[in-house]
Amino acid sequence: AYMSLGSMQTVRTGKPDEAIDNLQKSLSLNKSLAAGEPANTQYRRMLADNYKFLGDALTDRDERIRMHREALAIREEMLTNDPANPQELTAVASLYQRIGTILGNKAEGVKSEEGYRETLEHFNKSLLIYNKLRNLEPNNSRHGRNAADIMAMS
C-alpha cells in the first residue's frame, strides 16, 4: 500500500516529501520480503518497482540514478533466468532509458565526453532491447514507439 500511495502522490498530489516517505517505508518492507524469500519472483519484482518509483520521486540526481541502478540490477538478474520474458525485457529497457535520460538531462548537464558516452550507452542498450521486443512481439506497437522515443533523445 505504501508503494501505491507513494507513486500516486508523486504523480498526482505534488507532495514529494510524503511520496518519498511512503516509498521508503515500502522499500523497507519489500527488502524484508525479498530477503526472506529470495526465490519469490513477485517479491523481487515489487522490490525492483519500488526502487524505480523511488528513483522517479527523488530530486537528487545521484540518488535517482542509484535507485534506478538498484532496480536494473534486480531486473537483469531476473532476466538471466528467463531471457525472452517480454515483461522483464521491457522493464530492463525502460530502466536503461530512465538512467540515460537522467544522465543526459540538459538541465543537469552532461559534464564530460565520458558522461555523454555513458548516456548514449544506456540509450543504445535500451534501443537494442526494444528492437528485440519488436521481433518477439511484432503486433505490440508500444515497443516501436519506445524505440522511436529513444532515437529522438540520442
Side-chain angles (χ1 to χ4, degrees):
Y2 285 121
M3 187 165 56
S4 296
L5 184 59
S7 64
M8 285 192 57
Q9 286 172 320
T10 301
V11 173
R12 297 204 174 134
T13 67
K15 298 180 180 179
D17 293 339
E18 290 178 33
I20 290 167
D21 183 53
N22 283 321
L23 289 166
Q24 287 173 332
K25 288 176 185 174
S26 176
L27 183 62
S28 178
L29 294 170
N30 283 322
K31 281 181 177 179
S32 294
L33 288 170
E37 292 186 47
N40 187 318
T41 57
Q42 182 61 28
Y43 289 164
R44 292 172 62 212
R45 275 191 192 100
M46 287 172 30
L47 180 59
D49 286 346
N50 204 151
Y51 277 119
K52 177 186 73 172
F53 292 141
L54 188 53
D56 289 344
L58 293 169
T59 57
D60 179 85
R61 178 181 186 266
D62 293 337
E63 280 299 301
R64 292 178 71 204
I65 292 169
R66 188 174 73 78
M67 291 297 115
H68 286 104
R69 284 185 172 152
E70 291 284 349
L72 180 61
I74 294 166
R75 291 293 192 157
E76 283 185 321
E77 181 184 339
M78 293 177 71
L79 193 57
T80 62
N81 296 325
D82 190 2
N85 182 319
Q87 180 182 2
E88 296 307 328
L89 285 164
T90 301
V92 169
S94 173
L95 286 161
Y96 274 120
Q97 183 177 1
R98 276 179 157 83
I99 295 167
T101 300
I102 296 166
L103 289 168
N105 187 328
K106 292 188 184 352
E108 295 163 356
V110 176
K111 303 207 184 316
S112 67
E113 187 174 321
E114 180 182 328
Y116 180 70
R117 275 197 298 266
E118 187 179 8
T119 298
L120 288 180
E121 178 183 315
H122 281 80
F123 284 150
N124 286 334
K125 286 180 180 179
S126 183
L127 186 57
L128 287 172
I129 295 168
Y130 282 131
N131 284 332
K132 179 177 182 176
L133 282 161
R134 289 171 67 192
N135 291 328
L136 287 172
E137 298 181 328
N139 295 325
N140 187 337
S141 63
R142 183 184 63 193
H143 304 312
R145 285 192 311 270
N146 290 335
D149 288 345
I150 292 169
M151 289 188 289
M153 286 189 267
S154 44

